[in-house]
Amino acid sequence: MSSRDLILNKIRESNCVEEVPLPIIEDFGITFENKIEKFQEVIQTVGGVAIQSDVNNLDSIIKELYPTAELIASNVEECTLGNFNANEEENPHELKKLDLAVVKGEFAVAENGAVWIKNVDNRHRVLYFIAQNIVIIVNKNDIVHNMHEAYEKINFEQAGYGVFVSGPSKTADIEQSLVIGAHGPKSGYVIFV
């Protein structure tokens, strides 16, 4: 027997670690009594705002939020304010002139104020980041407590791109000064319908 084999055999003989099955963890992650209230609280801390509305009032609320918006792209069926079809543009840089993008969110996460958006109906994923302002529409029943639940809901069956968005664009320098709208949307609303 070689010295290598001798050493490996000694290690195997002295291995006293028992193999045990991994624990099953249920109810993992933080939960909230009122998910929408928690979402509203968290998104406000990152410069966004979340409100609730009836789907029939969607257009009037968006008009009230952005009365001067002229060029609006929308992939939300219930929003009739869209007057610019972003999917018809060959060059995604042309979307920089958009005043407002109204997009559909798949679900929201109360824990961190984020919304999962898939690129199913949009040709250019830059739409979420290049428009001057963004409004994300989410069904009020599509909100989860935490990221553990969120990861279980994510799928890419119909899209090759997805992103979590939380409020408008923001950055903070080394002096901890938060700047909203530095390199993307200047304002961000989530409307639960």
Side-chain angles (χ1 to χ4, degrees), residues 163-183:
V163 64
F164 279 107
V165 174
S166 180
S169 157
K170 55 203 143 299
T171 188
D173 62 14
I174 54 177
E175 295 164 358
Q176 301 300 305
S177 297
L178 182 64
V179 178
I180 304 290
H183 44 74

Side-chain angles (χ1 to χ4, degrees), residues 19-37:
E19 284 197 35
V20 293
L22 292 174
I24 297 171
I25 301 173
E26 294 179 9
D27 300 325
F28 188 69
I30 193 167
T31 59
F32 305 98
E33 196 171 310
N34 186 320
K35 294 182 283 190
I36 290 180
E37 280 181 13

Side-chain angles (χ1 to χ4, degrees), residues 38-50 112-113 166-167 188 190:
K38 183 62 179 179
F39 183 94
Q40 290 171 317
E41 175 188 321
V42 173
I43 199 168
Q44 191 170 8
T45 66
V46 294
V49 177
N112 61 4
S166 180
V190 174

